[in-house]
Coordinates of all heavy atoms in Angstrom, one line a residue:
A2 N -7.8 -10.4 1.9 CA -8.9 -11.4 1.5 C -8.5 -12.0 0.1 O -7.6 -11.4 -0.6 CB -10.2 -10.6 1.3
K3 N -8.9 -13.2 -0.1 CA -8.4 -13.9 -1.3 C -8.7 -13.2 -2.7 O -8.0 -13.5 -3.6 CB -8.7 -15.4 -1.3 CG -10.2 -15.7 -1.4 CD -10.5 -17.1 -1.2 CE -12.0 -17.5 -1.2 NZ -12.2 -19.0 -1.2
E4 N -9.9 -12.5 -2.6 CA -10.2 -11.8 -3.9 C -9.6 -10.4 -3.8 O -9.8 -9.6 -4.9 CB -11.7 -11.7 -4.0 CG -12.4 -10.6 -3.1 CD -12.6 -11.1 -1.6 OE1 -12.1 -12.1 -1.3 OE2 -13.4 -10.5 -1.0
H5 N -8.8 -10.0 -2.9 CA -8.4 -8.5 -2.7 C -7.5 -8.1 -4.0 O -6.5 -8.8 -4.3 CB -7.7 -8.4 -1.5 CG -7.4 -7.0 -1.1 ND1 -6.6 -6.1 -1.7 CD2 -8.0 -6.2 -0.1 CE1 -6.6 -4.9 -1.2 NE2 -7.5 -4.9 -0.2
C6 N -7.8 -6.9 -4.5 CA -6.9 -6.3 -5.5 C -6.7 -4.8 -5.0 O -7.4 -4.2 -4.3 CB -7.6 -6.3 -6.8 SG -7.8 -7.9 -7.6
S7 N -5.5 -4.4 -5.5 CA -5.1 -2.9 -5.4 C -5.1 -2.4 -6.8 O -5.0 -3.1 -7.7 CB -3.8 -2.9 -4.7 OG -3.9 -3.5 -3.4
F8 N -5.0 -1.0 -6.9 CA -5.2 -0.4 -8.2 C -4.2 0.8 -8.3 O -4.0 1.6 -7.3 CB -6.5 0.2 -8.4 CG -7.7 -0.8 -8.2 CD1 -8.6 -0.6 -7.2 CD2 -7.8 -1.8 -9.1 CE1 -9.7 -1.5 -7.1 CE2 -8.8 -2.8 -8.9 CZ -9.8 -2.6 -7.8
V9 N -3.4 0.8 -9.4 CA -2.6 2.0 -9.7 C -3.5 2.8 -10.8 O -3.8 2.2 -11.9 CB -1.3 1.7 -10.2 CG1 -0.6 2.9 -10.8 CG2 -0.5 1.1 -9.0
I10 N -3.7 4.0 -10.6 CA -4.6 4.9 -11.4 C -3.8 6.0 -12.0 O -3.3 6.9 -11.2 CB -5.9 5.3 -10.5 CG1 -6.5 4.2 -9.8 CG2 -6.8 6.1 -11.5 CD1 -7.2 4.6 -8.6
D11 N -3.9 6.1 -13.2 CA -3.2 7.3 -14.0 C -4.2 8.5 -14.1 O -5.1 8.3 -15.0 CB -2.6 6.8 -15.2 CG -1.7 7.8 -15.9 OD1 -1.4 8.9 -15.3 OD2 -1.2 7.6 -17.0
T12 N -4.1 9.5 -13.4 CA -5.0 10.6 -13.4 C -4.4 11.9 -14.0 O -3.2 12.1 -13.9 CB -5.6 10.9 -12.1 OG1 -4.5 11.5 -11.2 CG2 -5.9 9.7 -11.3
E13 N -5.3 12.9 -14.4 CA -4.8 14.1 -14.9 C -4.5 15.1 -13.8 O -3.6 16.0 -13.9 CB -5.9 14.8 -15.7 CG -6.2 13.9 -17.0 CD -7.4 14.6 -17.7 OE1 -7.8 15.7 -17.5 OE2 -8.2 13.8 -18.4
N14 N -5.2 14.9 -12.6 CA -5.0 15.9 -11.5 C -4.2 15.5 -10.4 O -3.7 16.4 -9.6 CB -6.5 16.3 -11.0 CG -7.1 15.1 -10.5 OD1 -7.1 14.0 -11.0 ND2 -7.9 15.3 -9.4
M15 N -3.9 14.1 -10.2 CA -3.1 13.7 -9.1 C -2.0 12.7 -9.5 O -1.3 12.2 -8.6 CB -4.0 12.9 -8.1 CG -5.1 13.9 -7.4 SD -6.1 13.0 -6.2 CE -4.8 12.6 -4.8
G16 N -1.6 12.8 -10.7 CA -0.7 12.0 -11.3 C -1.1 10.5 -10.9 O -2.2 10.1 -11.1
K17 N -0.1 9.6 -10.7 CA -0.4 8.2 -10.4 C -0.8 8.0 -9.0 O -0.1 8.4 -8.0 CB 0.8 7.3 -10.8 CG 0.9 7.2 -12.3 CD 2.0 6.2 -12.7 CE 2.0 5.9 -14.0 NZ 3.0 4.8 -14.4
I18 N -1.8 7.3 -8.8 CA -2.3 6.9 -7.4 C -2.3 5.4 -7.1 O -2.7 4.7 -8.0 CB -3.9 7.4 -7.2 CG1 -4.0 8.9 -7.4 CG2 -4.4 7.0 -5.9 CD1 -5.4 9.4 -7.5
L19 N -1.7 5.1 -6.0 CA -1.8 3.6 -5.6 C -3.0 3.8 -4.5 O -3.0 4.2 -3.5 CB -0.5 3.2 -4.9 CG -0.7 1.9 -4.2 CD1 -1.1 0.7 -5.1 CD2 0.6 1.5 -3.4
Y20 N -4.1 3.0 -5.0 CA -5.3 2.8 -4.0 C -5.0 1.4 -3.5 O -5.1 0.4 -4.1 CB -6.5 2.8 -4.7 CG -7.8 2.8 -3.8 CD1 -8.3 4.0 -3.5 CD2 -8.4 1.7 -3.5 CE1 -9.4 4.1 -2.6 CE2 -9.4 1.6 -2.6 CZ -10.0 2.8 -2.2 OH -11.1 2.9 -1.4
T21 N -4.6 1.4 -2.1 CA -4.1 0.1 -1.6 C -5.1 -0.9 -1.2 O -4.9 -2.0 -1.3 CB -3.3 0.5 -0.2 OG1 -4.2 1.0 0.7 CG2 -2.1 1.4 -0.5
G22 N -6.3 -0.4 -0.9 CA -7.3 -1.4 -0.4 C -6.9 -1.6 1.1 O -6.0 -0.9 1.7
D23 N -7.4 -2.7 1.6 CA -7.1 -3.0 3.1 C -5.8 -3.7 3.3 O -5.5 -4.2 4.5 CB -8.3 -3.9 3.6 CG -9.4 -3.0 4.1 OD1 -9.3 -1.7 3.9 OD2 -10.4 -3.5 4.6
I24 N -4.9 -3.9 2.3 CA -3.6 -4.4 2.6 C -2.8 -3.6 3.5 O -1.9 -3.9 4.3 CB -2.8 -4.9 1.3 CG1 -2.6 -3.8 0.5 CG2 -3.6 -6.0 0.7 CD1 -1.5 -4.0 -0.6
V25 N -3.1 -2.2 3.3 CA -2.6 -1.2 4.3 C -3.6 -0.2 4.5 O -4.0 0.6 3.7 CB -1.3 -0.4 3.5 CG1 -0.7 0.6 4.6 CG2 -0.3 -1.3 3.0
M26 N -4.2 -0.3 5.7 CA -5.5 0.4 5.9 C -5.2 1.8 6.4 O -6.1 2.7 6.2 CB -6.2 -0.3 7.1 CG -6.7 -1.7 6.7 SD -7.8 -2.3 8.0 CE -7.8 -4.1 7.6
N27 N -4.0 2.1 7.0 CA -3.9 3.5 7.6 C -2.3 3.8 7.6 O -1.5 3.0 7.2 CB -4.5 3.5 8.9 CG -3.9 2.4 9.8 OD1 -2.7 2.2 9.9 ND2 -4.8 1.8 10.5
R28 N -2.1 5.0 8.0 CA -0.7 5.5 7.9 C 0.3 4.7 9.0 O 1.4 4.6 8.8 CB -0.7 6.9 8.2 CG -1.2 7.8 7.0 CD -1.3 9.3 7.4 NE -2.4 9.5 8.4 CZ -2.6 10.6 8.9 NH1 -1.9 11.7 8.6 NH2 -3.6 10.7 9.7
V29 N -0.4 4.3 10.1 CA 0.4 3.6 11.1 C 1.0 2.3 10.4 O 2.2 2.0 10.6 CB -0.4 3.2 12.3 CG1 0.3 2.3 13.2 CG2 -0.8 4.5 13.0
E30 N 0.2 1.5 9.8 CA 0.6 0.4 9.1 C 1.7 0.7 8.0 O 2.6 0.0 7.7 CB -0.6 -0.4 8.5 CG -1.5 -1.0 9.5 CD -2.6 -1.8 8.8 OE1 -2.6 -2.0 7.6 OE2 -3.6 -2.2 9.6
F31 N 1.4 1.9 7.3 CA 2.2 2.3 6.2 C 3.6 2.7 6.8 O 4.7 2.3 6.1 CB 1.7 3.4 5.5 CG 2.5 4.1 4.4 CD1 2.8 3.4 3.3 CD2 2.9 5.4 4.5 CE1 3.6 3.9 2.2 CE2 3.6 6.0 3.5 CZ 3.9 5.2 2.4
Y32 N 3.7 3.3 7.9 CA 5.0 3.6 8.5 C 5.8 2.4 8.9 O 7.0 2.4 8.6 CB 4.8 4.4 9.7 CG 4.1 5.8 9.6 CD1 3.4 6.4 10.6 CD2 4.2 6.4 8.4 CE1 2.8 7.6 10.5 CE2 3.5 7.7 8.2 CZ 2.8 8.3 9.3 OH 2.3 9.5 9.1
D33 N 5.2 1.4 9.3 CA 5.8 0.1 9.6 C 6.5 -0.4 8.3 O 7.6 -1.0 8.3 CB 5.0 -0.9 10.3 CG 4.7 -0.6 11.7 OD1 5.3 0.2 12.3 OD2 3.8 -1.2 12.3
I34 N 5.7 -0.4 7.2 CA 6.2 -0.9 6.0 C 7.4 -0.2 5.4 O 8.4 -0.7 5.0 CB 5.0 -0.9 5.0 CG1 4.1 -2.0 5.4 CG2 5.5 -1.1 3.6 CD1 2.8 -2.2 4.5
I35 N 7.3 1.3 5.3 CA 8.3 2.0 4.8 C 9.7 1.9 5.6 O 10.7 2.1 5.0 CB 7.9 3.4 4.4 CG1 7.5 4.1 5.7 CG2 6.7 3.5 3.5 CD1 7.3 5.7 5.5
R36 N 9.4 1.6 6.9 CA 10.7 1.5 7.7 C 11.2 0.0 7.7 O 12.2 -0.3 8.4 CB 10.4 2.0 9.1 CG 10.2 3.4 9.3 CD 10.0 3.8 10.7 NE 8.7 3.2 11.2 CZ 8.5 3.2 12.5 NH1 9.3 3.6 13.5 NH2 7.3 2.7 13.0
W37 N 10.6 -0.9 6.9 CA 11.0 -2.2 6.7 C 10.9 -3.0 8.0 O 11.6 -3.9 8.3 CB 12.3 -2.3 6.1 CG 12.3 -2.1 4.6 CD1 12.8 -0.9 4.1 CD2 11.7 -2.8 3.6 NE1 12.6 -1.0 2.7 CE2 12.0 -2.1 2.4 CE3 11.1 -4.1 3.5 CZ2 11.6 -2.6 1.1 CZ3 10.7 -4.6 2.3 CH2 10.9 -3.8 1.1
L38 N 10.0 -2.5 9.0 CA 9.7 -3.4 10.1 C 8.8 -4.6 9.7 O 8.9 -5.5 10.5 CB 9.0 -2.5 11.2 CG 9.6 -1.3 11.6 CD1 8.8 -0.5 12.7 CD2 11.0 -1.7 12.3
R39 N 8.4 -4.5 8.5 CA 7.7 -5.7 7.9 C 8.5 -6.1 6.6 O 8.8 -5.2 5.9 CB 6.2 -5.5 7.6 CG 5.4 -5.4 8.8 CD 3.9 -5.0 8.4 NE 3.3 -5.8 7.3 CZ 2.2 -5.5 6.7 NH1 1.3 -4.5 7.2 NH2 1.7 -6.3 5.8
K40 N 8.6 -7.4 6.4 CA 9.3 -7.9 5.2 C 8.6 -8.8 4.5 O 9.2 -9.7 3.9 CB 10.8 -8.3 5.6 CG 11.6 -7.1 6.2 CD 13.0 -7.6 6.5 CE 13.9 -6.5 7.1 NZ 15.2 -7.0 7.4
D41 N 7.2 -8.8 4.6 CA 6.3 -9.9 3.9 C 6.1 -9.3 2.5 O 6.6 -8.3 2.0 CB 5.1 -10.0 4.7 CG 4.4 -8.8 4.9 OD1 4.7 -7.6 4.3 OD2 3.6 -8.7 5.9
D42 N 5.3 -10.1 1.8 CA 5.1 -9.8 0.4 C 4.3 -8.4 0.3 O 4.5 -7.7 -0.7 CB 4.1 -10.9 -0.2 CG 5.0 -12.2 -0.5 OD1 6.3 -12.1 -0.5 OD2 4.4 -13.3 -0.6
C43 N 3.4 -8.2 1.3 CA 2.6 -7.0 1.2 C 3.6 -5.8 1.3 O 3.5 -4.8 0.6 CB 1.6 -6.9 2.4 SG 0.7 -5.4 2.5
A44 N 4.6 -5.8 2.2 CA 5.5 -4.8 2.5 C 6.4 -4.5 1.2 O 6.7 -3.4 0.7 CB 6.4 -5.0 3.6
R45 N 6.8 -5.6 0.5 CA 7.6 -5.5 -0.6 C 6.7 -4.8 -1.8 O 7.3 -4.1 -2.5 CB 8.1 -6.8 -1.1 CG 9.3 -7.3 -0.2 CD 9.9 -8.6 -0.8 NE 9.0 -9.9 -0.6 CZ 9.1 -10.5 0.5 NH1 9.9 -10.3 1.5 NH2 8.3 -11.6 0.6
F46 N 5.5 -5.2 -1.9 CA 4.6 -4.7 -2.9 C 4.5 -3.2 -2.6 O 4.7 -2.4 -3.6 CB 3.2 -5.3 -2.9 CG 2.2 -4.7 -3.7 CD1 2.2 -4.8 -5.1 CD2 1.3 -3.8 -3.2 CE1 1.2 -4.1 -5.8 CE2 0.3 -3.1 -3.9 CZ 0.2 -3.3 -5.4
V47 N 4.2 -2.7 -1.5 CA 3.9 -1.4 -1.2 C 5.2 -0.5 -1.4 O 5.1 0.6 -2.0 CB 3.3 -1.1 0.2 CG1 3.2 0.3 0.6 CG2 1.9 -1.8 0.3
N48 N 6.3 -1.0 -1.0 CA 7.5 -0.3 -1.2 C 7.9 -0.1 -2.6 O 8.5 0.9 -3.0 CB 8.7 -0.9 -0.3 CG 8.7 -0.5 1.1 OD1 8.8 0.7 1.5 ND2 8.5 -1.4 2.1

């Protein structure tokens, strides 16, 4: 979505967290990204 933002959160109990939002909704989409089956801006950001 054009207003979409993701967050990196620095925490005491979990270290740094990437809260992706809906650019990567689930692990299936994530697997495609880390295997570079996608090479779009979203994939580059997540990697």
